[in-house]
Amino acid sequence: MMRNKLKDIWVEGRPVLHGWLSIGNPFTAEIMAAQGYDAISIDIQHGALDYSAVLPMFQAMRASGVVAMARVPWLDPAAIMKTLDAGAMGIICPMINSRAEAEEFVSYLRYPPKGQRSFGPTRAGVVMPGYGLAMNDEILAFAMIETQVGMDNLEEIAATQGLDGIYVGPADLTLGTKAGRLPPGFDRQEDEMIALIQRIATVCRAAGIKAALHCGTPEYAAKAISWGYHMTTVSGDTRLLAGAAAASVARWRELTGAEPKAAGSTGNKGGTY
């Protein structure tokens, strides 16, 4: 039976560094997995991918030993169970607003008698020897709190039997609690948003579950760890690729003094090359 390494990290009192994949490509997944993250999630909800990309991405990440997880599109048993059968060791579920929804979510991750997961671990059963009922205690269930209703029910959600943690997406949490008054985004600086983010960590600690936060920078992630967060996501493949490319382009232009052509210009004043 395969042990979830994240549980061992938390037992040792260490925080988890979590990565994020939105590009549906096994090579991208393999590159990210080789960089030293403790865990990486595939974003099936908003990522540019579907299940046909998820399974080979899990395969590509296997050699690194990183804990492979996924954010599913919604509270849908078919999507959750199929992702687990592909080999996910943890599921992040968006838009959990009540204890009843949290209980429903948890039930889809556990085999009877603890839940209602259907048995058929197509890939997981092959690459994880002994895969079966014992996985009920290894698969991680993270509920996302993203709305005012979710915040109103925070304590009840956190107390759900079998829920392992709450995952905070600050962009949707901002949209869902501030009625559009504040723009979405990571690394919130507003006192009112920091208060909400800190409250979630406090409630998780009281309930004995883990708090996870999606961050844009290592600096903010370190701050979140000091607030009591147990797992922090630091950006993701799309933003990291865009940021590195932009920095490289800007540095080249700075060193060479070559400015980009104006929009619509061909740069060809006479003939062809």
Side-chain angles (χ1 to χ4, degrees):
M1 189 272 296
M2 187 171 182
R3 172 73 175 167
N4 194 318
K5 297 177 184 177
L6 299 194
K7 293 194 171 189
D8 294 333
I9 291 174
W10 289 323
V11 166
E12 295 167 1
R14 296 186 288 120
V16 166
L17 174 60
H18 182 243
W20 200 254
L21 295 172
S22 297
I23 301 171
N25 186 279
F27 187 34
T28 304
E30 185 178 38
I31 291 170
M32 286 284 286
Q35 303 314 310
Y37 294 95
D38 298 310
I40 295 181
S41 287
I42 300 173
D43 185 7
I44 311 174
Q45 183 188 21
H46 291 301
L49 53 90
D50 58 20
Y51 181 80
S52 64
V54 170
L55 194 147
M57 290 170 73
F58 280 156
Q59 291 174 311
M61 288 192 284
R62 185 185 178 200
S64 71
V66 70
V67 177
M69 300 170 50
R71 176 168 69 175
V72 293
W74 211 251
L75 181 56
D76 171 25
I80 291 170
M81 295 183 198
K82 197 169 182 68
T83 303
L84 290 173
D85 291 341
M89 290 296 289
I91 298 291
I92 301 168
C93 186
M95 294 293 180
I96 298 297
N97 291 313
S98 68
R99 178 163 183 162
E101 290 180 350
E103 289 174 344
E104 183 181 355
F105 166 49
V106 169
S107 77
Y108 298 151
L109 275 68
R110 317 295 184 204
Y111 292 121
K114 293 186 176 182
Q116 56 177 321
R117 181 182 172 189
S118 174
F119 191 80
T122 307
R123 173 177 177 268
V126 174
V127 300
M128 301 177 189
Y131 197 98
L133 297 184
M135 295 306 294
N136 282 347
D137 298 324
E138 301 302 325
I139 300 296
L140 295 171
F142 276 92
M144 294 193 74
I145 302 294
E146 305 180 82
T147 68
Q148 186 60 56
V149 174
M151 287 301 300
D152 292 342
N153 294 324
L154 177 59
E155 284 79 5
E156 290 186 3
I157 293 172
T160 301
Q161 184 68 33
L163 186 69
D164 295 291
I166 290 176
Y167 189 97
V168 181
D172 274 315
L173 183 65
T174 302
L175 286 174
T177 59
K178 301 306 172 184
R181 181 167 54 83
L182 297 175
F186 301 144
D187 298 2
R188 308 308 306 193
Q189 302 298 326
E190 307 89 352
D191 290 343
E192 58 193 301
M193 288 308 304
I194 291 174
L196 288 183
I197 292 169
Q198 291 179 334
R199 181 189 161 206
I200 292 172
T202 299
V203 170
C204 286
R205 182 167 58 251
I209 64 174
K210 306 305 179 185
L213 180 65
H214 204 107
C215 304
T217 62
E219 291 76 15
Y220 199 92
K223 188 183 301 184
I225 297 299
S226 73
W227 294 337
Y229 276 83
H230 304 91
M231 182 171 83
T232 51
T233 305
V234 180
S235 196
D237 54 359
T238 56
R239 289 175 178 268
L240 290 169
L241 175 59
S248 179
V249 168
R251 181 60 174 156
W252 182 87
R253 295 200 182 283
E254 177 187 351
L255 293 172
T256 64
E259 294 300 322
K261 294 182 294 185
S265 171
T266 64
N268 182 2
K269 300 297 184 180
T272 59
Y273 290 92

